[in-house]
Amino acid sequence: MNPYIQQCVIRRQKVLQRIGQDGIAVLWSASEKQRSGDTCYPYRQDSDFYYLSGFDEPESVLVLDGASGETTLFCREKDPEREIWDGFRYGVLDAKSIFRMDHTLAIQDFPNKIESLLKNHCTLWLLGSDATPQKTDIQKRWFDLRSSVSADIQPLQCADLREIVHAMRMIKDEVELNLLRQAAQISALGHCAAMQKTRVGKWEYQIEGDILSVFYQHNARSVAYNSIVAGGKNACVLHYVHNQSILRDGDLLMIDAGAEYAAYAGDISRTFPVNGRFSPAQKDVYEVVLSVNQKIIEQAKAGITYESLSQSAIELLTQGLIDLKLLSGSLKDLIEQKAYRRFYMHGIGHWLGLDVHDVGPRFVDGKPMVLQEDMCMTVEPGLYIPDDVDIPTELRGMGIRIEDNIIIHKNHVEVYTQEAPKTIADIEQLMS
Ligand code: GLY
Ligand code: MN
Ligand code: MN
């Protein structure tokens, strides 16, 4: 059996145990999104749906029945006419055997069958609750469901399935860790190609194309998020994806790009000089960010809190800003005043998995989340120096981020994005 599908079976069993005899969980696949007339964006399955099924077709519903302990997948039937236009679909028979479902039924039967499935369950588990930001979507789905069943058999209460599934998703199994490593390896190859192909006078989107080409050659058909290819002061725009400026001599190029491999995300940032050699001023700022990246990775380990890493990054970056003479005053006062926010305005990292900003809280019951074995996260310090008159000319508009991906193991931390060079010597050597 495909190891991912095998894990999905185990995951469903865990969810079924958690929702108990009284519970029933219903998950909808992601819908296709239209791009323009008769054209859709490439399809991406909903991450929670995929985590429990491995099934990547739209128009599907997954039902986990706590009473019987069985799962039913509603999916599209085989349809030779539609398959001429839209291509392959598994159909009900193959979906059952390949995805190891207890039952599969045609999606058009969902409105009829849901009544009997809901019968005798007190709690309906859905991905979301009335109190969450996904309110509208969840309410619509709950409403659709409710309107299709008779009032007397409706479950008494609704519960949020994300509490169960997202806690599970934070701790990666071995199959997931290997997919994450592959996504990162492909992402690193893309960054190496970018360093080798960057030349003064090329356009940012041409380098983006070089990265994409590597992703595709290595069987990653999608990016995990829109690539940021930001020359010069574009790097100070945190979510820059315009990628349409020319690369200039003397500027840095900041690239934040990650491949999605088998639905798992890589998320790497590297910053390097367009002309292949760091200037003295660029070296000074780069070394500050690099040393924070390395120190935070050294500090990360099972048992400490995510919050302590965030705080430590703030302290190290603030000290770096003092050393660079971009801030003056006592370290303590500058931190209290959040003076660093002018130059460092995002967090030190995030969980990584099926989503690039993966699910999972930073605080549980008001207490900071403790790093645990088999969690996966990014470490991504950055400095973004505004193009303002009070800043020394040689530092104006400089944006540097260095981002790695790490896995927390019991007794060590695995940095699995090392193949993308990050020391000044290694970068200059690769670019020469
Ligand atoms: N690429 C998005 C991030 O680094 O968080
Ligand atoms: Mn990133
Ligand atoms: Mn990131």
Side-chain angles (χ1 to χ4, degrees):
M1 202 198 307
N2 170 323
Y4 196 84
I5 302 303
Q6 204 161 3
Q7 288 307 117
C8 291
V9 174
I10 296 170
R11 292 170 194 156
R12 292 200 295 271
Q13 283 164 353
K14 283 189 190 158
V15 172
L16 282 161
Q17 268 173 9
R18 289 289 307 277
I19 64 176
Q21 298 256 334
D22 281 351
I24 183 162
V26 183
L27 296 88
W28 280 259
S29 64
S31 24
E32 291 188 281
K33 306 272 184 317
Q34 188 173 348
R35 183 175 187 279
S36 64
D38 286 341
T39 307
C40 287
Y41 286 101
Y43 184 69
R44 170 56 156 74
Q45 186 56 279
D46 173 83
S47 295
D48 292 313
F49 188 97
Y50 189 79
Y51 183 73
L52 294 179
S53 68
F55 191 68
D56 65 355
E57 288 187 12
E59 297 180 72
S60 317
V61 182
L62 196 62
V63 180
L64 282 70
D65 181 337
S68 66
E70 291 178 339
T71 302
T72 303
L73 174 70
F74 291 87
C75 65
R76 303 180 303 189
E77 286 186 289
K78 294 294 284 179
D79 181 341
E81 170 66 16
R82 277 320 313 166
E83 288 182 57
I84 286 172
W85 289 90
D86 303 330
F88 174 81
R89 45 175 79 177
Y90 283 99
V92 171
L93 284 180
D94 280 357
K96 180 170 187 287
S97 57
I98 293 171
F99 296 91
R100 293 292 196 269
M101 297 291 162
D102 299 304
H103 312 281
T104 47
L105 290 166
I107 186 65
Q108 60 268 31
D109 291 338
F110 176 72
N112 301 330
K113 296 284 179 192
I114 193 64
E115 275 211 19
S116 56
L117 282 165
L118 288 181
K119 219 175 265 176
N120 305 325
H121 292 94
C122 296
T123 309
L124 171 64
W125 293 80
L126 296 170
L127 290 168
S129 74
D130 287 350
T132 70
Q134 289 172 14
K135 196 171 171 176
T136 331
D137 199 30
I138 293 302
Q139 277 182 339
K140 182 177 173 309
R141 285 171 174 190
W142 172 224
F143 188 78
D144 289 349
L145 190 59
R146 205 165 37 181
S147 57
S148 71
V149 296
S150 60
D152 52 332
I153 62 142
Q154 281 178 31
L156 295 179
Q157 57 177 343
C158 215
D160 191 346
L161 187 62
R162 293 178 308 174
E163 283 166 21
I164 297 174
V165 177
H166 291 189
M168 288 169 61
R169 279 178 56 187
M170 287 190 81
I171 307 295
K172 272 67 181 179
D173 57 49
E174 205 45 54
V175 177
E176 293 185 286
L177 292 179
N178 281 331
L179 294 175
L180 284 162
R181 289 186 186 106
Q182 287 182 75
Q185 203 160 29
I186 298 165
S187 307
L189 289 173
H191 280 268
C192 291
M195 289 178 194
Q196 288 170 310
K197 296 200 172 228
T198 290
R199 299 280 179 279
V200 172
K202 276 192 166 184
W203 296 85
E204 291 167 339
Y205 55 77
Q206 292 178 313
I207 306 304
E208 182 182 14
D210 291 329
I211 295 169
L212 268 180
S213 165
V214 172
F215 289 1
Y216 273 50
Q217 294 305 327
H218 291 84
N219 309 313
R221 275 288 315 279
S222 179
V223 286
Y225 52 91
N226 293 329
S227 307
I228 298 171
V229 182
K233 66 179 176 188
N234 293 338
C236 296
V237 180
L238 296 180
H239 289 164
Y240 180 80
V241 287
H242 195 59
N243 299 355
Q244 291 182 44
S245 295
I246 206 155
L247 297 173
R248 297 182 323 170
D249 196 9
D251 275 354
L252 291 174
L253 175 58
M254 201 285 287
I255 297 182
D256 185 344
E260 182 175 282
Y261 182 76
Y264 282 78
D267 184 9
I268 301 181
S269 302
R270 289 292 183 263
T271 310
F272 54 89
V274 169
N275 64 16
R277 308 290 295 180
F278 285 87
S279 72
Q282 289 167 347
K283 275 187 184 169
D284 289 345
V285 185
Y286 191 89
E287 289 293 6
V288 167
V289 180
L290 180 62
S291 105
V292 179
N293 166 291
Q294 290 165 331
K295 284 183 179 148
I296 297 298
I297 289 173
E298 275 166 29
Q299 289 171 16
K301 62 176 178 188
I304 67 155
T305 63
Y306 176 94
E307 225 25 52
S308 68
L309 291 182
S310 295
Q311 197 50 39
S312 178
I314 287 170
E315 284 163 22
L316 291 165
L317 284 166
T318 306
Q319 183 59 54
L321 289 162
I322 296 170
D323 298 343
L324 290 166
K325 302 195 169 31
L326 286 167
L327 290 179
S328 61
S330 84
L331 180 63
K332 188 166 167 285
D333 290 348
L334 291 169
I335 291 172
E336 262 174 32
Q337 295 155 8
K338 299 191 193 308
Y340 56 86
R341 285 208 152 268
R342 187 175 175 206
F343 306 98
Y344 168 61
M345 38 316 248
H346 55 70
I348 188 57
H350 49 83
W351 313 126
L352 187 64
L354 280 165
D355 294 338
V356 60
H357 289 181
D358 209 32
V359 292
R362 304 257 166 87
F363 289 85
V364 182
D365 300 331
K367 293 199 192 103
M369 173 67 84
V370 173
L371 301 188
Q372 293 164 49
E373 197 179 343
D374 299 328
M375 283 183 171
C376 181
M377 62 180 286
T378 67
V379 174
E380 49 181 304
L383 286 178
Y384 313 91
I385 306 174
D387 186 12
D388 292 345
V389 286
D390 63 323
I391 302 282
T393 327
E394 67 278 14
L395 298 183
R396 284 184 201 164
M398 200 188 292
I400 295 175
R401 179 161 64 253
I402 307 173
E403 175 173 27
D404 284 299
N405 303 163
I406 64 173
I407 297 167
I408 309 293
H409 292 291
K410 195 168 178 193
N411 295 315
H412 76 287
V413 159
E414 175 185 344
V415 188
Y416 63 100
T417 40
Q418 312 231 49
E419 279 155 55
K422 66 178 175 184
T423 65
I424 288 180
D426 287 348
I427 290 173
E428 289 189 344
Q429 194 192 358
L430 184 64
M431 294 186 76
S432 66

